[in-house]
Amino acid sequence: MRVRAGTAWRGSATVVVLLLGGALTACSGAAREGASTVRAAGATGAAVRSGGTIGAQGSVCELPVTFDIAEDWKAEAVDPAAAGDSPTGKEVADALLRQGPVTAVCEVDAKPAGNIGFLRVFTGSPHAGDASTALQAFVAAEEGVSGETYRSFTTGGLEGVEVEYLRTSEFLDETKKERALAVGTAQGPVVLHLGGMDTEEHEQILPAYELARRTLRGA
């Protein structure tokens, strides 16, 4: 299944990807069978059921960590190699997938659950620094960011850092809330980012992000 970058990624790169006819692809699959009944309460007071765990070997997205995704959300692995061998394809793929010291490797789509937004997973090499360094560099690579608030957290034996911030898009001429977190692993830092079409949509899908944060474990 192809990742339709026109709605998934930001800025003017959308036009480039559409002209390339969808250079990026994803390998789809189901999350682990036997979804658990874990529930997470978000800032909106809503609750979300777990739809299974991703990250382990053999799952749709093999990662240095595992975590639960919300019920009906769909996980897909991002395949950078799908851009092909042309220099243009590789440049576009790198521009779309890389942010600061980390690269997108998996995205979890909220559309099957009735929302518009993604929980994206980025990974970096051990040389990318610790969780705090990687997260600050990740945010610094984003355009139009303001009001960053950082805080530390611990989950599943992992030490992490989380940030909430505002992002103003020149392309859409609006400001919205976004969140991201990073944890350190032996393979390098892992960043989870939650966007959303706008702040209202972001708040609606926030419980899915909080479920992922609460269930994060080393793979």
Side-chain angles (χ1 to χ4, degrees):
M1 177 178 292
R2 291 189 177 276
V3 174
R4 299 191 62 82
T7 57
W9 300 94
R10 61 191 181 278
S12 58
T14 296
V15 179
V16 177
V17 173
L18 289 175
L19 291 175
L20 289 175
L24 308 179
T25 62
C27 302
S28 63
R32 188 181 65 186
E33 295 183 359
S36 71
T37 58
V38 175
R39 301 178 70 87
T44 60
V48 61
R49 288 173 58 90
S50 169
T53 302
I54 64 171
Q57 186 173 2
S59 69
V60 59
C61 295
E62 296 185 1
L63 306 167
V65 297
T66 65
F67 61 88
D68 284 12
I69 64 173
E71 187 176 40
D72 294 329
W73 285 47
K74 184 177 182 180
E76 293 183 314
V78 177
D79 183 7
D85 296 327
S86 71
T88 301
K90 289 181 178 179
E91 287 178 7
V92 171
D94 185 69
L96 290 173
L97 300 180
R98 187 166 185 82
Q99 185 163 329
V102 293
T103 301
V105 294
C106 180
E107 67 177 20
V108 190
D109 190 354
K111 281 195 293 293
N115 294 102
I116 300 176
F118 291 87
L119 178 63
R120 293 194 174 94
V121 186
F122 298 74
T123 60
S125 73
H127 303 294
D130 59 15
S132 179
T133 299
L135 187 59
Q136 290 184 47
F138 177 87
V139 174
E142 186 75 87
E143 295 181 359
V145 170
S146 63
E148 304 97 314
T149 302
Y150 287 88
R151 51 186 170 270
S152 301
F153 69 94
T154 302
T155 180
L158 298 173
E159 298 294 329
V161 180
E162 182 178 26
V163 63
E164 180 177 354
Y165 59 93
L166 298 175
R167 176 174 174 262
T168 301
S169 170
E170 293 183 4
F171 183 71
L172 298 176
D173 191 27
E174 67 177 8
T175 299
K176 61 177 182 175
K177 285 185 179 180
E178 297 195 6
R179 296 186 189 221
L181 64 81
V183 293
T185 75
Q187 290 77 38
V190 176
V191 174
L192 272 62
H193 173 266
L194 182 74
M197 183 176 65
D198 51 31
T199 293
E200 181 180 1
E201 195 77 30
H202 175 86
E203 295 291 348
Q204 290 179 7
I205 62 178
L206 183 56
Y209 166 89
E210 295 181 338
L211 172 65
R213 182 187 60 195
R214 288 176 52 166
T215 56
L216 265 175
R217 302 288 185 273

